[in-house]
Amino acid sequence: MSTPSAATTPASTEVIEIERALTRVAYLMGRTRQHDRLMALAGVPLDRAAVALLRQIGDSEPMRPGELANRLAVEASHVTRQVQQLEKAGYVTRVPDPDDRRAQRIQITPSGQEAVDRIREMSARGMQMALSDWSPQELQQLAALFHRMVDDFLSYSPELGAGEKTGPAAGKA
């Protein structure tokens, strides 16, 4: 007798509630009005896609546009358009790839880093106000669980059987 696959095993009520909560969070984070308010407070006139790319560039070493596309799970043409927008605004620049002088990497500029820092500061302030009734222990626990969840999502491969993972989270119990 074979074991049921992840596709045929019903989700637990706990997982259903987590999925519902994540859907609500994604909706709140994706609202245009919320984004526009955050950008106005930060003084950064960028759309959501450009902000996501700028934050990724700010969090890493200079990398090729194709690598950025892979990290953000988007098409390379999408990254190219966004990089052009960020270049025009003075937030990023292209630098030669030390491994291949014919290629270029995208690097954040000081102005771009200042923009990322302002966005993070304004976002954190809003979150601090929204979660002001939470204890430091609750906040620490939430952060740890979110990081663990993201790590598990990143290591999950639908090609594997139910419960199987790849990467660093694979060995965790």
Side-chain angles (χ1 to χ4, degrees):
M1 182 172 213
S2 65
T3 58
S5 72
T8 60
T9 304
S12 69
T13 56
E14 296 85 3
V15 168
I16 290 169
E17 286 306 309
I18 291 167
E19 190 277 334
R20 285 181 180 157
L22 285 175
T23 299
R24 290 178 66 202
V25 168
Y27 171 76
L28 289 172
M29 299 302 290
R31 291 188 333 192
T32 300
R33 188 171 47 177
Q34 179 79 10
H35 172 80
D36 292 347
R37 186 178 13 225
L38 177 60
M39 292 305 102
L41 289 170
V44 179
L46 294 174
D47 62 36
R48 285 188 300 248
V51 170
L53 184 61
L54 185 63
R55 288 179 79 151
Q56 179 65 53
I57 295 167
D59 287 345
S60 61
E61 296 294 318
M63 66 179 80
R64 291 180 181 183
E67 292 173 273
L68 284 166
N70 285 338
R71 287 217 180 159
L72 294 171
V74 297
E75 296 294 322
S77 61
H78 174 75
V79 167
T80 300
R81 285 190 303 274
Q82 296 302 325
V83 166
Q84 289 170 348
Q85 178 186 359
L86 293 171
E87 266 187 308
K88 285 179 186 173
Y91 295 138
V92 300
T93 188
R94 295 174 192 264
V95 295
D97 185 329
D99 300 328
D100 180 354
R101 291 289 179 185
R102 297 168 297 169
Q104 294 181 325
R105 293 185 181 196
I106 310 304
Q107 177 177 303
I108 197 161
T109 63
S111 174
Q113 190 60 57
E114 288 174 21
V116 168
D117 293 345
R118 287 194 311 269
I119 292 167
R120 283 198 176 112
E121 179 183 344
M122 292 300 112
S123 181
R125 281 187 193 175
M127 197 172 294
Q128 181 73 42
M129 291 186 326
L131 302 176
S132 63
D133 291 339
W134 290 46
S135 73
Q137 295 80 15
E138 289 172 319
L139 294 171
Q140 191 174 39
Q141 182 180 18
L142 179 63
L145 290 171
F146 266 134
H147 284 292
R148 179 178 171 192
M149 182 178 66
V150 169
D151 290 344
D152 286 347
F153 281 168
L154 290 172
S155 68
Y156 172 75
S157 173
E159 294 82 33
L160 298 175
E164 294 183 47
K165 296 182 181 177
T166 63
K172 292 181 184 175

